Every structure is written in structure tokens, then in C-alpha cells.
Amino acid sequence: MDTFHILVVEDDPDINNLLCRIVTDAGYDCRPAFSGSEAALLAEQYAYDLILLDLMLPGLTGEEFIGRLRRGKTMPIIVLSAKAGLEDRVNVLKLGADDFIPKPFDNAEVLARMEAQLRRYKKFSGPMAEGVLKWGGLVLDRESVTVTVDDKEVSLTAREFEILALLMSHPKKVYTREQIYQQVWGEEYMGDDNTVNIHVSNLRAKLGEKEYIKTVWGIGFKMAEG
């Protein structure tokens, strides 16, 4: 089994210890951090495959940490927080988080969501993901996990990268929101368009003024004609 490296960012020592135990019992390497500032320093010094993140932290808040990290890194971020209102969930997704688990959490659910994220991250960053996709001035390199627009690199989250790779792999095909959700999230679609819409909206904003992703009203999304 691959050894994945997980960063656990949680200021409560008991919860941090519990999350680290979930991680290590599953056979993964765990490093704890107890503040946003400490987590930011560790993320600069070491490479992590996934981050479990609280929002209410000393130093940098969880939201500030996500914003700083997403300037250059794409590993999945799962937020675990008692701030579980709809607005809070939407905000962290817009910032670049990949999943949200409300507190109190179930240990088995945390592990299942971690493993789902790691499977997708490995798929899109491993040797089986080699290949370069091009569409106009847009270039997606699966091997290096990079995206450039007119030769300028764009920083995407792991999930944004997966959505773009899916659309670019069959640029003339219209993908429904259900198809995007099932292929990118790997879960049964529950009819909530908001999750897919938020990620596509974030992706469009990062790709710049030119329209690369077209909305096909009543159906879903496809790559826009050049």
C-alpha cells in the first residue's frame, strides 16, 4: 500500500489525537499541527497528500490557511468544523476546500472520505494520469498536475483539476451535473446542483476572462468552442 502523508490541523489536542489515530490506524503517515501558522509552515517545508483542517484556529484561521495554500498547491483539503451552516460550507468550497464534514464527526465517515479523496488524487497525479490535453490557449498536463492559460500557470484545487480534465478529455461532449459529480466525487448524485456549480464557477474565474467552459442550459457543461 502507498504511504500517504496526511497533515492534521486542529487546535484541540484530544480531537487532533483522535484524527491522527484514525489516520495512522489506516496505515498512513500523520503529522499534527495545532495552529494555522504552524500548518502553513509545515505545508511549505513538506509535501502532503491530504490535509484535515479545522476552521477556528489560533494564528491563521482555517479560511486564511486555505487561501494561502491554494496559491500553489493542489492536494485535497477536507474541512472538519462545528461551523456547519450552509454559508460556511459554501464559503470553504469557494476558497478551495474539497470536502466538508461537520463536527461532531463519525470516525468511519472521516476515513471513508479521506480514502475517496486519496484515490482521486493518486489517479490524477500518478503515472497512469500521464498526458497533455490542449484546448485553445488552455493546456492541462496530467503528469505534472499543472494547468496553464496562454503560458501562465493557474493554481487549481484537486477537484477543479479533475473537472477540467474530465471536460477536456472529451471537449465536444456535454456532461450533466450528475455525470460530473459521480465521476469527480465518486459518490451517488443526490440532485444538489450547487456543489458542481460552485466548483465550475471557481474554475471559470481562475481560467480568466475567456470562456473555456460553456453552460448548456438544462443539461450541464462542455468545453466552449475556440
Side-chain angles (χ1 to χ4, degrees):
M1 183 179 69
D2 294 318
T3 300
F4 289 109
H5 302 280
I6 316 298
L7 178 62
V8 173
V9 190
E10 167 63 62
D11 64 322
D12 184 300
D14 292 333
I15 298 176
N16 196 308
N17 289 338
L18 173 59
L19 290 170
C20 283
R21 190 163 67 247
I22 293 171
V23 169
T24 54
D25 285 352
Y28 306 133
D29 176 70
C30 179
R31 184 186 293 268
F34 297 91
S35 73
S37 304
E38 181 187 6
L41 183 61
L42 290 171
E44 290 176 1
Q45 294 177 331
Y46 304 99
Y48 296 99
D49 300 292
L50 183 142
I51 297 175
L52 298 177
L53 178 69
D54 185 27
L55 292 179
M56 293 181 283
L57 296 166
L60 287 176
T61 66
E63 292 92 341
E64 290 169 337
F65 173 75
I66 294 171
R68 178 177 295 191
L69 192 75
R70 285 306 186 221
R71 293 172 191 166
K73 297 182 183 294
T74 63
M75 80 284 281
I77 300 173
I78 301 177
V79 169
L80 301 98
S81 178
K83 294 170 65 176
L86 177 60
E87 184 176 351
D88 297 306
R89 297 198 303 272
V90 169
N91 283 342
V92 295
L93 289 173
K94 284 184 174 180
L95 283 171
D98 296 278
D99 203 352
F100 189 104
I101 302 175
K103 292 179 180 178
F105 51 79
D106 179 83
N107 295 7
E109 181 183 6
V110 171
L111 179 59
R113 289 180 180 266
M114 278 177 45
E115 292 181 334
Q117 291 290 340
L118 289 169
R119 281 195 302 271
R120 286 188 287 275
Y121 186 58
K122 179 182 178 183
K123 173 184 175 183
F124 280 87
S125 61
M128 297 303 292
E130 294 181 5
V132 176
L133 300 173
K134 298 181 180 180
W135 190 253
L138 181 62
V139 179
L140 182 146
D141 189 327
R142 283 174 158 158
E143 185 174 2
S144 63
V145 198
T146 57
V147 172
T148 58
V149 176
D150 296 329
D151 298 321
K152 295 180 180 178
E153 188 167 343
V154 179
S155 179
L156 303 182
T157 68
R159 203 154 267 170
E160 291 164 357
F161 185 90
E162 292 172 32
I163 292 171
L164 186 59
L166 177 65
L167 296 176
M168 290 181 70
S169 63
H170 297 91
K172 296 185 181 297
K173 177 178 178 179
V174 179
Y175 284 89
T176 67
R177 291 170 178 81
E178 179 178 6
Q179 289 171 329
I180 293 172
Y181 190 87
Q182 289 178 341
Q183 293 198 46
V184 173
W185 275 258
E187 301 172 2
E188 183 181 356
Y189 183 68
M190 303 302 292
D192 179 11
D193 289 347
N194 205 37
T195 300
V196 174
N197 288 344
I198 288 171
H199 282 79
V200 170
S201 177
N202 291 345
L203 181 55
R204 279 175 165 153
K206 292 181 179 181
L207 295 179
E209 295 181 0
K210 183 176 179 180
E211 182 187 45
Y212 284 103
I213 300 174
K214 179 180 179 181
T215 299
V216 181
W217 296 107
I219 304 177
F221 303 97
K222 68 184 291 288
M223 297 304 295
E225 297 296 334

